[in-house]
Amino acid sequence: MHTAVGTTVLINLLGGVALLLWGLTMVKTSIISAYGGKLRRHLGRSMSNRFKAFGVGIAVTCMLQSSTATALLASSFAAQGLSAAPALALLLGADIGTTLVAQALSMDLSLLKPVLIFAGVCLYFNARSERQKHLGQIILGLGLMLLALQLIVTASSPMRDSSTIQFLLSSLADEPVLAILIGALISFLAHSSLATVLLVVALGASGSLPLHVGFVLILGANLGGALPAILSTMRADPAIRRPPLGNLIFRTVGVLIMLPLLNIVTAWLPELGESPARQLVNFHMFFNLGLAVLFLPLVNPAAKLVTRLLPEREEDANSVKPRYLDRSALDNPAIALSNAMREVLRMGDLLDNMVNKSIEALQQRDNSTLKKITQSDDLVDEYHEKIKHYLTELSRRDLGKKNRRRCNQYMSFTTNLEHLGDIVESSLADLISRTLSQNIQFATADMRAIEELHAATQNNMKLAFTVLMNGRVGNARELLEQKTAIREMENNAINAHQRRLREQVNSPATDSALFLDILRDIKRINSHLASVAYPILDRAGELRASRLRRQTTQTPQEELISSQVDKKIPTATPDTKPSQ
């Protein structure tokens, strides 16, 4: 093959592969954006039973066209305390799902290709909602994948006439391990075993790839397809890393078993279809069916094995730092928002502990407890910065209206939590430290008022996070009602305190000021927590535009009386002093 011709073939081949990967990515991201919440709910329900998990894994992967995306979803559920066994069953189903997609795309769908592209473009540009726009992208992505496969077949046809390329490809037949590593590397770089299998099938269909080499490359593609999920979760908790590791073990064992039996297994494949493309795609399907038959009954022992290989970490000094903000999940808004939500909850736990430590220091007269609050506030600031940066990156994606609203809500509430931490560290803890260092003893009634206000704020913190998670109008209304109740509690405590001051002649003013400032800070903490309710009630139309009363128009008689009253009020000028 001439050098210039070879360069043209390579460019066309790379363009076809790039278009194939783009179509796969478009379908995956659009489905997650449009139906990510429903997919997660179905996955969540399936995790209680390995057979249901296996079936749902097939269905979800057929939709997403990515076993890696399904693996990351399974890991997110494993992180919530679910057993690794159903997650492993789900991934076995995901492997079957990729074979079904490969079967469908390897068929002769030449007439469907222009129809899908035309329909997808029309639906995208005429969409009346975000979901219709995503549906248009899904249809367009499928059409582009079919077009890409045709380009790959056409571009690779001249490779049959190149003696050099045929020699290199044929030599791989004598080096099956090297061929498996090459297939695994291509699959890893493409982050898709499906794309690699389709590439091998297209090359086989053009006659440029020897059939026996294609079988070994498909084994490598299945092995390499498990690696992206491994690397994406490498720094995550052991529970998150276990399902991808188990999937890699399954595929590795399957390749080791299949390699010596390759000639025996492939000898009867022509009976199901003599074309090279049909034999290759059928081999891919039967390999993954064999994995499911072999390992589905063994998911429980496999779960114990990966748990032994990846035991729970011992708690260390850094265990409370942010750890769920997985950047690889940014292309999946539903997963990314769940990751951010988990970190917001952990940030809330830190703040709850800070407030409790402050009140405990006052109750137990122990100033040393307050020393940890500054360290905790630094950690809260770190949470705020990392969550804000993560959500800012996420907001640059195509999220859809609902996910974008959640993203903005999480960012706003995280900022309020950071302000809350500043109140505790810079004001409340300082007030309590001064109270203890000056050996001030609050009256029993005043101390009880502080404890009651703190207890109410604690309950409101739990309610605020409930509102953030479920977004229910009823809970949001209850949170604002509790804000009003806490304001009344503060007013009652202040009035009772002032009555006691009037009854006591020699009551120190410092004691009173510290008590009132502590009440004020606890109320301020509650106000920041209640902020999460406002956007929910605003969307529901349950908020007034302003809390100010509407000004009434004065009649001419009222204006005359008002002007006469104003004239009777003496005013001080620069030349005259007001009367003493």
Side-chain angles (χ1 to χ4, degrees):
M1 190 164 53
H2 195 270
T3 304
V5 177
T7 303
T8 303
V9 169
L10 180 61
I11 292 174
N12 289 333
L13 192 60
L14 290 175
V17 172
L19 186 61
L20 177 63
L21 292 174
W22 177 252
L24 276 168
T25 303
M26 183 180 291
V27 172
K28 179 184 70 177
T29 55
S30 298
I31 287 177
I32 290 177
S33 298
Y35 307 103
K38 291 183 179 179
L39 288 178
R40 284 184 61 81
R41 285 194 294 272
H42 286 305
L43 280 172
R45 297 189 192 107
S46 73
M47 299 301 277
S48 60
N49 181 286
R50 61 181 173 180
F51 295 105
K52 288 173 63 178
F54 178 75
V56 172
I58 295 174
V60 170
T61 307
C62 284
M63 292 180 64
L64 295 179
Q65 303 190 17
S66 172
S67 58
T68 301
T70 309
L72 293 174
L73 285 169
S75 294
S76 68
F77 282 103
Q80 298 174 14
L82 296 170
S83 170
L88 292 175
L90 185 99
L91 294 184
L92 288 172
D95 296 338
I96 300 295
T98 60
T99 68
L100 297 179
V101 176
Q103 286 280 346
L105 294 176
S106 63
M107 295 179 182
D108 185 10
L109 302 173
S110 55
L111 293 177
L112 190 59
K113 175 178 64 226
V115 174
L116 289 174
I117 294 176
F118 179 76
V121 170
C122 289
L123 184 57
Y124 179 82
F125 283 112
N126 295 283
R128 296 183 178 179
S129 65
E130 287 291 332
R131 179 162 292 184
Q132 287 182 3
K133 185 175 289 188
H134 289 309
L135 183 59
Q137 289 178 319
I138 293 168
I139 296 172
L140 177 59
L142 291 172
L144 292 178
M145 289 170 64
L146 294 175
L147 177 61
L149 291 173
Q150 181 184 350
L151 289 176
I152 292 171
V153 171
T154 304
S156 59
S157 295
M159 293 170 62
R160 290 175 297 181
D161 303 325
S162 172
S163 57
T164 304
I165 292 178
Q166 289 302 313
F167 173 76
L168 290 174
L169 293 175
S170 299
S171 63
L172 289 176
D174 300 325
E175 297 290 341
V177 175
L178 178 60
I180 287 175
L181 293 177
I182 291 174
L185 179 62
I186 295 172
S187 182
F188 169 70
L189 293 176
H191 270 54
S192 173
S193 60
L194 175 60
T196 308
V197 169
L198 292 175
L199 174 62
V200 172
V201 170
L203 294 175
S206 68
S208 58
L209 181 69
L211 195 57
H212 47 285
V213 176
F215 291 139
V216 184
L217 288 175
I218 284 179
L219 289 178
N222 280 277
L223 187 62
L227 296 177
I230 292 281
L231 293 181
S232 296
T233 59
M234 183 171 289
R235 296 184 179 180
D237 281 352
I240 297 176
R241 296 164 57 196
R242 286 169 193 154
L245 176 62
N247 190 38
L248 177 63
I249 292 173
F250 290 162
R251 296 193 188 194
T252 304
V253 173
V255 169
L256 293 176
I257 293 173
M258 179 59 68
L259 196 56
L261 303 174
L262 190 60
N263 292 330
I264 300 174
V265 172
T266 57
W268 53 269
L269 285 176
E271 298 179 7
L272 300 175
E274 294 186 358
S275 68
R278 184 52 46 197
Q279 290 187 55
L280 288 168
V281 79
N282 285 339
F283 174 74
H284 175 53
M285 182 180 68
F286 286 119
F287 173 74
N288 283 284
L289 283 173
L291 290 182
V293 171
L294 178 62
F295 290 112
L296 190 58
L298 302 176
V299 290
N300 288 323
K304 294 179 181 177
L305 173 63
V306 294
T307 302
R308 191 176 298 120
L309 293 174
L310 293 173
E312 292 294 338
R313 295 172 180 165
E314 294 183 5
E315 292 294 325
D316 55 22
N318 297 324
S319 63
V320 293
K321 290 194 172 184
R323 57 189 178 192
Y324 296 120
L325 301 178
D326 183 6
R327 295 178 60 83
S328 65
L330 287 171
D331 290 329
N332 302 328
I335 300 176
L337 287 170
S338 297
N339 291 341
M341 181 72 240
R342 294 170 71 184
E343 296 295 6
V344 174
L345 291 174
R346 297 179 73 222
M347 185 179 179
D349 289 338
L350 278 172
L351 290 165
D352 186 43
N353 186 59
M354 287 173 64
V355 178
N356 290 339
K357 290 292 184 186
S358 300
I359 303 302
E360 285 176 10
L362 182 62
Q363 292 171 326
Q364 300 171 6
R365 314 292 299 175
D366 183 7
N367 220 337
S368 62
T369 308
L370 299 174
K371 296 178 182 178
K372 298 179 180 179
I373 290 180
T374 301
Q375 183 180 359
S376 296
D377 185 59
D378 292 339
L379 198 53
V380 167
D381 292 340
E382 181 179 349
Y383 267 88
H384 175 240
E385 286 299 321
K386 290 187 175 180
I387 295 172
K388 182 179 68 175
H389 181 70
Y390 188 76
L391 291 175
T392 301
E393 281 198 59
L394 179 63
S395 67
R396 298 191 181 106
R397 267 70 170 179
D398 183 14
L399 301 182
K401 185 176 180 180
K402 183 178 179 181
N403 285 335
R404 187 165 298 281
R405 186 169 63 234
R406 286 178 60 197
C407 181
N408 294 336
Q409 187 177 11
Y410 292 173
M411 194 177 298
S412 175
F413 189 61
T414 304
T415 301
N416 276 288
L417 291 180
E418 193 270 337
H419 293 334
L420 190 157
D422 291 340
I423 292 171
V424 177
E425 191 262 343
S426 302
S427 184
L428 180 62
D430 180 63
L431 292 171
I432 293 174
S433 177
R434 285 163 53 193
T435 302
L436 298 179
S437 61
Q438 296 176 27
N439 197 26
I440 294 173
Q441 296 278 354
F442 292 134
T444 303
D446 288 345
M447 194 65 204
R448 185 165 56 248
I450 291 174
E451 292 171 347
E452 289 175 354
L453 203 62
H454 166 245
T457 301
Q458 261 193 315
N459 292 333
N460 281 358
M461 181 174 287
K462 297 174 184 176
L463 182 57
F465 282 98
T466 301
V467 171
L468 183 67
M469 287 188 290
N470 64 27
R472 292 178 182 170
V473 175
N475 292 137
R477 191 187 303 113
E478 181 184 356
L479 183 59
L480 281 195
E481 290 171 352
Q482 288 300 315
K483 180 182 178 181
T484 303
I486 282 185
R487 186 166 60 242
E488 292 177 355
M489 289 175 63
E490 182 203 25
N491 289 335
N492 293 337
I494 292 173
N495 292 334
H497 175 74
Q498 290 174 343
R499 282 196 301 271
R500 284 191 296 275
L501 288 181
R502 287 193 294 269
E503 296 171 358
Q504 299 174 3
V505 179
N506 297 321
S507 178
T510 305
D511 299 14
S512 177
L514 288 171
F515 168 72
L516 295 177
D517 285 345
I518 289 173
L519 288 183
R520 178 206 60 193
D521 280 350
I522 296 176
K523 189 187 75 169
R524 287 170 62 199
I525 290 169
N526 182 74
S527 297
H528 282 292
L529 294 172
S531 65
V532 72
Y534 288 107
I536 296 171
L537 294 176
D538 188 34
R539 287 195 303 272
E542 297 200 10
L543 289 182
R544 291 177 294 179
S546 173
R547 295 178 63 181
L548 293 173
R549 290 183 179 179
R550 185 174 298 174
Q551 186 175 7
T552 58
T553 304
Q554 290 182 321
T555 64
Q557 292 81 0
E558 290 172 334
E559 291 180 357
L560 179 61
I561 295 172
S562 177
S563 63
Q564 291 174 348
V565 170
D566 291 339
K567 290 178 181 178
K568 294 179 181 179
I569 298 176
T571 57
T573 66
D575 299 324
T576 60
K577 295 182 180 180
S579 58
Q580 300 296 322

